[in-house]
Amino acid sequence: EVVLTQSPGTLSLSPGERATLSCRASQSVRSRYLAWFQQKPGQAPRLLIYAASNRAADISDRFSGSGSGTDFTLTISRLEPEDFAVYYCQQYGSYPFTFGPGTKVEIK
Amino acid sequence: EVQLVESGGGLVKPGGSLRLSCAASGFNFNDAWMTWVRQAPGKGLEWVGRIKSESGRRKSEADGATIEYAASVKGRFTISRDDSKNTLYLQMNSLKTEDTAVYYCSTAPITIYGVVIKKGFDYWGQGTLVTVSS
């Protein structure tokens, strides 16, 4: 099983700042099949990035993904008020699919 | 418009059973691979399992079994589908208190010989809460 670790656990930033979220895998993620999700309280997760660096439909270009192998990054270039949420990475390159524990981006 | 609507959640005693449904509309359900994801209160996301489409089931075994499960639910939960009703199911038996969670259905990635040809997890239901407690 591919275990995903996310850091930091919580990121305290101000609107307009840049956010850098890390996701590390216990073994190489096959074919860069890694996704990022955003989740707000009481809502279902929303797909932001798939295959490590591809933005999903209707996702702002403020969100970008990068990485390969075991190290992946989600960058939010300039935080907007609606971006404060919890972010999860997920690998779907091998079964069982697994999620990271999440990074909470909170307003400083 | 794509819609996924879960139902069937509720309060059940440990050891009991429950069947969740996910009604799909707005896309070709017959060809879709589907998945369940759950989230315990205040916790992160946990993948539960995935079921291929009927056409996907007949293709390469390199793309995994017809139905894949997380170890935590294997042998207790069963995923099935009724394409005539555009509905996905999750039969949950021998429920434990740690199965308490919001259960979401979503689309799953479709692969052919290991290559993802259609991304998944782009549509989600609103979730249904399952509480296992005495």
Side-chain angles (χ1 to χ4, degrees):
Chain A
E1 173 174 322
V2 178
V3 177
L4 299 178
T5 304
Q6 292 186 241
S7 61
T10 301
L11 198 50
S12 299
L13 294 169
S14 301
E17 289 194 293
R18 181 186 187 90
T20 302
L21 287 66
S22 173
C23 177
R24 180 160 289 177
S26 60
Q27 56 189 275
S28 184
V29 175
R30 188 177 71 85
S31 300
R32 300 177 76 226
Y33 287 147
L34 186 116
W36 290 93
F37 297 86
Q38 177 193 69
Q39 189 179 35
K40 297 179 181 178
Q43 295 184 16
R46 179 172 72 142
L47 178 67
L48 299 175
I49 300 288
Y50 64 96
S53 58
N54 297 276
R55 267 190 301 277
D58 300 324
I59 299 302
S60 168
D61 60 5
R62 293 181 291 102
F63 293 90
S64 63
S66 63
S68 63
T70 60
D71 290 299
F72 298 85
T73 301
L74 174 70
T75 301
I76 311 171
S77 58
R78 298 172 311 280
L79 283 164
E80 296 286 340
E82 62 267 25
D83 299 335
F84 292 92
V86 179
Y87 293 83
Y88 296 94
C89 60
Q90 180 221 36
Q91 69 80 25
Y92 54 97
S94 60
Y95 290 103
F97 295 167
T98 48
F99 287 91
T103 290
K104 181 179 182 180
V105 179
E106 65 176 22
I107 300 176
K108 187 173 181 180
Chain B
E1 178 193 5
V2 172
Q3 277 202 315
L4 295 170
V5 179
E6 301 96 338
S7 61
L11 175 63
V12 60
K13 289 182 167 53
S17 298
L18 208 58
R19 188 178 82 157
L20 306 183
S21 299
C22 169
S25 61
F27 66 102
N28 186 352
F29 181 78
N30 285 18
D31 289 337
W33 295 18
M34 300 297 294
T35 189
W36 288 97
V37 174
R38 68 182 181 182
Q39 186 169 37
K43 303 297 184 183
L45 301 169
E46 180 185 16
W47 179 77
V48 172
R50 183 276 284 135
I51 184 168
K52 292 182 179 179
S53 62
E54 178 60 26
S55 59
R57 184 186 66 80
R58 293 192 293 267
K59 291 193 172 88
S60 166
E61 291 182 357
D63 301 306
T66 298
I67 309 176
E68 296 276 359
Y69 295 99
S72 58
V73 306
K74 197 167 187 177
R76 300 187 299 122
F77 289 13
T78 301
I79 297 174
S80 62
R81 60 191 296 158
D82 186 337
D83 289 349
S84 69
K85 296 181 179 178
N86 283 4
T87 301
L88 174 73
Y89 299 102
L90 180 65
Q91 176 67 44
M92 304 184 293
N93 298 331
S94 303
L95 281 161
K96 307 175 181 180
T97 55
E98 53 263 41
D99 295 319
T100 294
V102 174
Y103 286 74
Y104 297 100
C105 63
S106 180
T107 52
I110 297 176
T111 59
I112 293 182
Y113 295 105
V115 177
V116 173
I117 60 168
K118 184 171 172 57
K119 72 180 184 301
F121 298 102
D122 40 3
Y123 300 107
W124 293 70
Q126 83 290 348
T128 187
L129 176 62
V130 173
T131 303
V132 184
S133 174
S134 54

